[in-house]
Amino acid sequence: MLTIVYFAWVRERIGLDEEQVARPELGATVADLVAGLAARGGGYAEALGDATRLRAALDQRFVGLDTVIGDARELALFPPVTGG
Amino acid sequence: MKRVAVQAGDFDVAAELAALEALGGGGVASFTGVVRGGGGLIALELEHYPAMTKVQVDRICDEAMARWPLLGLSVIHRFGRLEPGARIVFVGTASRHRTAALESCAFLIDWLKSEAPFWKKEHFADGATGWVEARVEDEVKAKGWNGQD
């Protein structure tokens, strides 16, 4: 299983802080997984439909959406950060 | 000295500066970010990614210590609900050289804006809310430090 955590408006639109999903097939990228989730429709489509607005982290490190998930345990999906 | 704190509570700027001054370097620079009021804003809500925030801020601090001859630095970032006038973030740096203190302080705050996993939500008096959009200039500014050396 892979844990996905959501933040900010991604979290609000999906309506979940985190969830477990089946581990994607070998070689799957973050973008592949995001596309699969967006296809669930509803809040998922609203949150994840436009991948250009998303940023991601694998095991607490920022990664591009074209990164292969591999054996990472936690994927985070969120909008561009606005700290400081 | 490296002090990193991610906390809900407020902090004492004078105490943070005194700790940096006590390192004896002769130069201390700092930046304090405060919630800007106006436009009917009643509060800013800061969400973060707890498992990542501290590690990521630590990395940014290590990067600053590797780039400039610093005797110490201090970074404090708050989360939770903050009202106008409340302090959000503090960055302080101490060095024997003013350029190192000033530049590393600017670097740290630029990087926190684009590399630390925080998100701000605005709450207005009329009940409206909205997530703050990331500014392209901030990302460009942070990237700008990569071109230097």
Side-chain angles (χ1 to χ4, degrees), chain B residues 91-124:
Chain B
V91 172
T93 54
S95 176
R96 291 182 205 289
H97 312 284
R98 70 176 183 281
T99 310
L102 289 166
E103 282 185 3
S104 60
C105 184
F107 164 86
L108 283 163
I109 196 70
D110 283 351
W111 267 43
L112 282 174
K113 277 202 178 291
S114 68
E115 300 287 326
F118 287 92
W119 298 272
K120 293 190 184 111
K121 186 179 191 176
E122 296 174 316
H123 291 260
F124 297 95

Side-chain angles (χ1 to χ4, degrees), chain A residues 8 11-12 62 74 79 82 84, chain B residues 47 49 77 118-119 121 131:
Chain A
R11 170 181 58 74
E12 288 183 342
F62 288 120
E74 184 170 279
T82 54
Chain B
E47 177 172 331
Y49 180 2
H77 206 305
F118 287 92
W119 298 272
K121 186 179 191 176
W131 290 95

Side-chain angles (χ1 to χ4, degrees), chain A residues 21-69:
Chain A
V21 298
R23 185 155 280 285
E25 53 188 270
L26 203 68
T29 64
V30 174
D32 295 335
L33 184 70
V34 165
L37 290 167
R40 290 179 179 179
Y44 284 95
E46 279 176 42
L48 308 175
D50 180 1
T52 63
R53 302 191 63 201
L54 295 176
R55 298 293 182 271
L58 276 175
D59 287 340
Q60 297 88 44
R61 274 186 181 270
F62 288 120
V63 295
L65 266 66
D66 56 352
T67 306
V68 171
I69 294 168

